[in-house]
Amino acid sequence: MKYYFAPLEGITRYVYRNAFEKTFGGIDKYFAPFISPTKDSPLTPRNRMELESENNSSLNLVPQILCNNPEVFIDAASRLIDMGYKEINLNAGCHSATVTSKKKGAGLLEDLYNLERLLDSIVNFGLASGLKISVKTRLGRFDQDEFFKVLEIYNEFPLSELIIHPRIEKDFYKGDVRIDFFKYALEESKNPIVYNGDLFKKDDIRKISQLAENSPAFNDALMLGRGLLINPYLLFRQDGDGKIDQLFFKFHKEIYEGYKEIMSPDKNVLYHMKELWTYWARNIEGCDKEIKSIMKSKRYEEYDIGLNNIKAKLMA
Ligand SMILES: Cc1cc2nc3c(=O)[nH]c(=O)nc-3n(C[C@H](O)[C@H](O)[C@H](O)COP(=O)(O)O)c2cc1C
């Protein structure tokens, strides 16, 4: 089985990806959080920094584009090819209202004529330039049955992979994944399929693997996002147990030092660290008071006290 790290905007930045790879590894492909090119700005300086090969040299990285305009996509993609990339992923899943109202992300799934036109242009560009085009998609915007037509569109094009998060836009990340629709895709997709969604425990991984393994369309790959964020040991340990040991603090240090190198002042670095703690907190028991003090910290000194208290408690 291959394992992919899902794109998580604001979180799986290059500092995080490198820290994860160095500490835990075991990831076959990392998907970078989306970039959102425009006609006047195909790649921002920050996009370049995040995707630059020297900042990602030990990773197998796929950039992701959030876009509904073929020319804008192709302009950005050409620059990514120049940077050495051989696969680009189209975001057809983002559920944020500011994105979908512009018919991007999951908003692409409403106007199938436009989706078809976009795929036609970018897949042909891919074929002509040797660039693989993959898609990460939800089932639809408002109704799961939209997926029947959506899959028909995807089936018209040779995608390198179709990564399916079997929810609709209005689900956000709530409720159970709509697994019957993933099964339908396994039967009907002409493109290689990857599963994404709610893989939090080894047992979740086992169940999906068993469900998909005999389907010729399954690409033997699972994409994990929050499961790895919450418990970075999930794939690293045979049983997926999330018990914290020194490795976690090594991982933390890589991220913390990495952000300090590229950001200032304290509050910007701490903002990113606190976002991570909202996930890590779900894997750590008995440290509520210490985590609360981390969340309240405004300066490195305060943050470090909270961190050291957690370390002392968990490593005792
Ligand atoms: C904070 C956050 C940021 C995300 N950013 C992106 C993104 O940039 N591109 C994307 O395709 N999906 C994004 N997603 C969706 C995830 O890639 C993934 O599809 C989702 O979390 C479901 O998988 P999981 O249950 O394994 O987390 C984001 C999700 C979260 C929670």
Side-chain angles (χ1 to χ4, degrees), residues 6-9 33-34 64 91 136 165 173 196-198 224-226:
L8 298 158
E9 215 264 320
F34 66 77
Q64 185 189 60
N91 180 319
K136 180 167 177 283
H165 178 59
Y173 297 113
N196 166 243
D198 294 13
L224 293 88
R226 292 165 302 160

Side-chain angles (χ1 to χ4, degrees), residues 115-258:
L115 177 66
E116 190 176 30
R117 209 176 58 104
L118 175 68
L119 287 171
D120 189 41
S121 298
I122 68 176
V123 169
N124 278 314
F125 168 76
L127 291 172
S129 55
L131 177 74
K132 291 183 191 165
I133 302 288
S134 59
V135 176
K136 180 167 177 283
T137 191
R138 286 191 184 234
L139 303 174
R141 286 202 74 181
F142 309 110
D143 190 311
Q144 59 188 9
D145 289 348
E146 291 168 28
F147 188 59
F148 299 121
K149 287 246 154 51
V150 167
L151 188 63
E152 270 179 32
I153 304 279
Y154 290 139
N155 277 344
E156 289 175 29
F157 302 97
L159 305 173
S160 66
E161 287 183 316
L162 179 62
I163 304 159
I164 300 179
H165 178 59
R167 286 195 168 98
I168 55 175
E169 176 192 322
K170 69 169 192 195
D171 292 337
F172 302 105
Y173 297 113
K174 293 196 284 276
D176 290 339
V177 288
R178 299 167 187 263
I179 205 67
D180 287 347
F181 284 79
F182 182 70
K183 285 191 204 158
Y184 175 80
L186 285 173
E187 284 161 19
E188 298 296 329
S189 177
K190 298 200 168 116
N191 288 302
I193 299 244
V194 176
Y195 175 85
N196 166 243
D198 294 13
L199 300 176
F200 294 109
K201 301 245 165 355
K202 268 278 148 84
D203 208 37
D204 303 328
I205 295 174
R206 217 169 288 129
K207 281 188 191 139
I208 290 291
S209 309
Q210 280 167 3
L211 174 92
E213 66 190 356
N214 292 324
S215 161
F218 186 52
N219 203 26
D220 288 323
L222 302 174
M223 174 183 270
L224 293 88
R226 292 165 302 160
L228 287 175
L229 262 191
I230 295 166
N231 171 12
Y233 299 90
L234 182 58
L235 299 173
F236 182 76
R237 289 188 181 136
Q238 193 82 31
D239 60 2
D241 184 34
K243 191 176 177 326
I244 300 294
D245 64 7
Q246 285 296 349
L247 264 194
F248 173 79
F249 293 101
K250 184 170 167 273
F251 177 50
H252 174 282
K253 189 167 178 219
E254 291 282 338
I255 302 171
Y256 191 31
E257 300 299 326

